Amino acid sequence: MLAALGAAACGGGATSPTPIGQPPTPIPDPALPGPPLSPPVLGVTRVLAFGDSMTAGTTSPPLAAAALTAGLPQSYPFKLQTTLGARYTGQAIAVLNAGNPGEQAATPSALSRFGDALSEAKPDLVLLMEGANDLNNAGAMVNAAITAAVSSLEEMVKEASRRGMPVMVGTLPPQRAPKGTSAEVVARFNDAVKVMAAKKGAILVDVSALFPESLIGQDGLHPTEAGYQRLAEIYGEAVRTRYERTPAGLTP
């Protein structure tokens, strides 16, 4: 923020310099509770967000035209880092975005890219949400596509677990018909993801249950920017619930 300089007084005679004003008090981020007097401690400080365009931050215009703004839409990992950083002020929180628009989970390249991302980021936690492109390209073979995509997500969970990296697996947000061509099968995919996560010991984040369809934009698939803010809130609450710790020497 820029501090405003006081204007010089009118009229003759010497005047005292106008002091520089104090910056306004920042408005707390509503995504998570504000930092207490003694900041809490988060048990993870490097988070890797892996997925497709919904991780990269591809947006869809809202249903109602919004006023022009100067800012570009941001991804949910960027918003999540802002949210976590505002609460855990005594730590340097890094959320790393490994989203790849257009990627299908059930491909050798996705599995290879996941391993490379783990090696590069060395995260304390992985956020995994992928599979929408597998559904959208399935046609009549949707059941096979669901099986293949969830199996690939399972391999990703296993690879991260082998390296000692916990994984939060997110269900997919809803789609809106008719443009969201897989709207009718998203729930089936999500049910399979829930079974896989329970079987492999991954931490399930049920995005679908917490994400309103109204935050899906005109294309029926991608969230609006407000939708990505909601994703950041959902994951932020999941991370806080699982990993927040009371600072040493303080009682809860």
Side-chain angles (χ1 to χ4, degrees):
M1 297 183 182
L2 297 177
L5 296 176
C10 298
T15 60
S16 300
T18 303
I20 297 176
Q22 294 297 317
T25 302
I27 299 174
D29 191 320
L32 287 176
L37 295 179
S38 295
V41 174
L42 196 62
V44 294
T45 58
R46 288 180 66 80
V47 179
L48 172 67
F50 189 90
D52 48 34
S53 57
M54 283 189 276
T55 298
T58 300
T59 58
S60 175
L63 295 177
L68 294 176
T69 67
L72 293 175
Q74 299 285 357
S75 65
Y76 94 78
F78 185 97
K79 293 178 182 293
L80 177 60
Q81 176 168 288
T82 300
T83 296
L84 295 177
R87 179 165 176 79
Y88 304 104
T89 56
Q91 296 173 275
I93 306 294
V95 180
L96 308 172
N97 190 332
N100 184 28
E103 181 174 82
Q104 295 185 45
T107 58
S109 60
L111 289 170
S112 175
R113 193 175 72 85
F114 182 75
D116 291 343
L118 295 182
S119 296
E120 180 179 354
K122 297 178 175 59
D124 303 318
L125 174 67
V126 178
L127 309 181
L128 178 60
M129 184 179 70
E130 192 164 27
N133 291 312
D134 298 74
L135 301 183
N136 295 339
N137 290 280
M141 303 297 292
V142 66
N143 289 333
I146 290 173
T147 299
V150 175
S151 294
S152 187
L153 295 178
E154 181 175 334
E155 290 303 313
M156 294 178 188
V157 171
K158 288 164 61 177
E159 177 60 20
S161 298
R162 185 182 68 79
R163 302 189 192 199
M165 301 169 179
V167 183
M168 286 186 170
V169 179
T171 57
L172 293 179
Q175 293 187 25
R176 190 180 58 255
K179 288 189 175 181
T181 57
S182 301
E184 299 302 318
V185 298
V186 169
R188 200 185 315 167
F189 175 87
N190 286 340
D191 286 343
V193 167
K194 293 175 186 177
V195 171
M196 181 276 292
K199 182 174 68 173
K200 292 301 170 185
I203 306 161
L204 179 72
V205 179
D206 197 357
V207 169
S208 180
L210 301 169
F211 193 100
E213 188 181 289
S214 62
L215 294 180
I216 299 296
Q218 291 179 358
D219 67 2
L221 172 63
H222 292 98
T224 61
E225 186 170 1
Y228 284 120
Q229 177 62 40
R230 180 61 186 141
L231 275 177
E233 293 168 1
I234 291 169
Y235 280 113
E237 179 62 20
V239 172
R240 185 194 70 80
T241 300
R242 184 82 179 191
Y243 290 106
E244 186 173 295
R245 303 289 183 264
T246 302
L250 295 180
T251 56

